[in-house]
Amino acid sequence: MPAFDPYVILGVTADASSDDLLRAFRELVRQHHPDTRRPDTRRPAEPDSDADVRLRQILAAYDILRDPARRAAYDRAHVRQPPPPQAVSIQVRPAATRAGPWTTRRPSAIRVGPVRWRPLPPDRG
C-alpha cells in the first residue's frame, strides 16, 4: 500500500463520483480546519500540529482527485492489486478409456435395460 493514498485519506472508494469526493472533502475540511475545530487550550498552537498535517494531506488528496486527468494519471500509476482469488475445488472426472483385457471395465454412464422385441402390428392399408 502506498504511503500517500488519496482515496484512503478522503475515505472514499476508487470508483467514487466527483460529488462523493466533494462531499467527503468538505466534511473533512470542516473537521480539521483551524477556524472550525476547537482549539486545544492545554497547549499553545503549533504550526505543525497533527491537525494541520492532516489538513494538508486532505487538501493534497482532493487536489489530485478533483481533476479527472490527474486522477486518471494517479490510477494508472498506482494500479490496485485485485484481491487474491479464493480456492475453488473442481471435481475432475477421469477421461474415458477403451475397455480391453488390460483394463477393468467401468460401468457405462448410459444404462440400457433388456430389449423386448414385439412384432409390428399388421399393416393397415
Side-chain angles (χ1 to χ4, degrees):
M1 180 193 255
F4 177 79
D5 188 355
Y7 293 108
V8 172
I9 290 173
L10 292 179
V12 295
T13 60
D15 59 349
S17 67
S18 60
D19 292 336
D20 294 336
L21 289 173
L22 182 61
R23 190 176 304 114
F25 169 72
R26 286 182 176 174
E27 181 180 329
L28 289 171
V29 167
R30 278 189 212 107
Q31 291 174 4
H32 296 284
H33 196 275
D35 291 341
T36 58
R37 71 173 182 246
R38 298 171 119 189
D40 190 0
T41 57
R42 292 178 285 167
R43 59 186 170 139
E46 299 172 7
D48 288 333
S49 68
D50 293 339
D52 292 336
V53 171
R54 177 83 171 128
L55 180 62
R56 283 192 218 118
Q57 288 177 345
I58 293 167
L59 292 170
Y62 184 68
D63 191 40
I64 291 172
L65 298 181
R66 73 176 174 174
D67 182 22
R70 290 182 70 187
R71 183 178 181 178
Y74 176 83
D75 289 341
R76 279 192 305 273
H78 298 88
V79 176
R80 299 199 181 307
Q81 296 295 329
Q86 295 181 356
V88 177
S89 74
I90 299 174
Q91 184 178 8
V92 179
R93 296 187 342 203
T97 59
R98 293 186 183 183
W102 60 89
T103 63
T104 59
R105 189 164 181 104
R106 295 185 322 190
S108 137
I110 300 174
R111 295 204 169 120
V112 179
V115 178
R116 297 182 182 161
W117 295 97
R118 292 187 204 149
L120 291 174
D123 193 27
R124 297 182 188 177

